[in-house]
């Protein structure tokens, strides 16, 4: 998974621009559209699903920018890591947290997940880990941390939430 995140980062953001240029990456990929909408249930942060033969990633524009960034990275994690699964469920959608909206079954990234299926839980963890690798690359994060070990400042620089930054730092063994 880390290798796939690094490959995606190298291909679509080699200079590690912040925020990640997701819309430009989608344009280069050519088979996925990124849409920001304020007309989304507040409990939903984002979704990935097929519509008219194309993958769509929809992001709740009402969420804070740092949440939108992580959600975009999470949905691209599904795009990269779970493409075979997405394609296999093209007709009925890809259900993230067993939420059904407008009769369809897109994969939704909810703020409070309700998962019972072990495979779905694993996909969500993988997408979250992909997002963390993409938005907070270990080498760049370590360089920053060596100069300024401050969670708030690191979160501001990488344009992620303080919670996301703290989790990433802890998983990398940089804080306890």
């Amino acid at each position: 998974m880390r290798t796939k995140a690094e490959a995606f980062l190298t291909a679509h953001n080699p200079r590690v621009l912040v925020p990640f240029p997701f819309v430009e990456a989608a344009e280069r990929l050519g088979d996925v559209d990124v849409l920001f909408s304020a007309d989304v249930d507040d409990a939903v942060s984002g979704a990935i699903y097929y519509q008219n033969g194309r993958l769509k990633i929809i992001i709740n524009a009402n969420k804070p920018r740092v949440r939108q960034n992580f959600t975009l990275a999470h949905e691209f994690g599904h795009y990269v890591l779970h493409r075979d699964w997405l394609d296999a469920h093209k007709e009925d959608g890809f259900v993230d947290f067993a939420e059904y909206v407008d009769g369809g079954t897109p994969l939704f990234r909810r703020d409070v997940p309700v998962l019972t299926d072990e495979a779905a839980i694993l996909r969500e963890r993988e997408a979250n880990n992909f997002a963390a690798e993409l938005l907070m690359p270990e080498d760049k994060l370590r360089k920053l941390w060596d100069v300024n070990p401050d969670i708030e400042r690191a979160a501001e620089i990488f344009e992620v939430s303080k919670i996301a930054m703290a989790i990433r730092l802890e998983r990398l063994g940089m804080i306890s």
Side-chain angles (χ1 to χ4, degrees):
M1 187 268 317
R2 179 180 181 178
T3 304
K4 288 185 178 186
E6 288 173 350
F8 193 82
L9 182 66
T10 300
H12 300 287
N13 192 12
R15 294 183 301 155
V16 192
L17 301 175
V18 176
F20 192 98
F22 289 109
V23 173
E24 292 84 356
E27 289 171 0
R28 278 192 300 281
L29 291 165
D31 63 349
V32 61
D33 299 316
V34 175
L35 311 163
F36 295 86
S37 176
D39 190 28
V40 177
D41 184 293
D42 194 50
V44 175
S45 290
I48 186 169
Y49 56 95
Y50 273 98
Q51 183 178 49
N52 300 324
R54 289 185 59 81
L55 276 168
K56 306 285 185 184
I57 293 175
I58 188 164
I59 300 299
N60 187 336
N62 297 317
K63 297 292 180 182
R65 186 69 190 151
V66 293
R67 179 65 173 177
Q68 291 178 37
N69 289 343
F70 197 88
T71 300
L72 264 167
H74 174 97
E75 300 306 345
F76 270 96
H78 286 305
Y79 174 90
V80 171
L81 302 172
H82 308 126
R83 186 59 184 266
D84 290 341
W85 202 96
L86 278 166
D87 291 345
H89 293 82
K90 186 183 277 191
E91 296 304 316
D92 60 5
F94 181 21
V95 182
D96 190 348
F97 300 117
E99 289 297 321
Y100 296 80
V101 174
D102 298 332
T105 54
L107 184 146
F108 283 100
R109 173 133 175 80
R110 295 180 55 88
D111 290 338
V112 182
V114 181
L115 294 174
T116 56
D117 176 77
E118 288 299 318
I121 292 169
L122 178 60
R123 284 191 298 271
E124 291 311 303
R125 283 188 192 135
E126 290 172 344
N128 281 340
N129 290 336
F130 181 94
E133 293 279 350
L134 200 62
L135 296 175
M136 301 167 275
E138 182 176 355
D139 61 331
K140 303 287 185 199
L141 188 53
R142 286 189 184 280
K143 286 177 186 174
L144 173 65
W145 200 252
D146 287 345
V147 174
N148 185 9
D150 180 282
I151 291 174
E152 277 190 52
R153 184 67 184 131
E156 286 173 15
I157 289 170
F158 286 93
E159 293 192 22
V160 298
S161 69
K162 290 181 274 189
I163 292 170
M165 181 56 68
I167 290 169
R168 179 73 169 144
L169 291 166
E170 183 177 19
R171 289 193 176 155
L172 291 173
M174 297 168 66
I175 64 171
S176 54

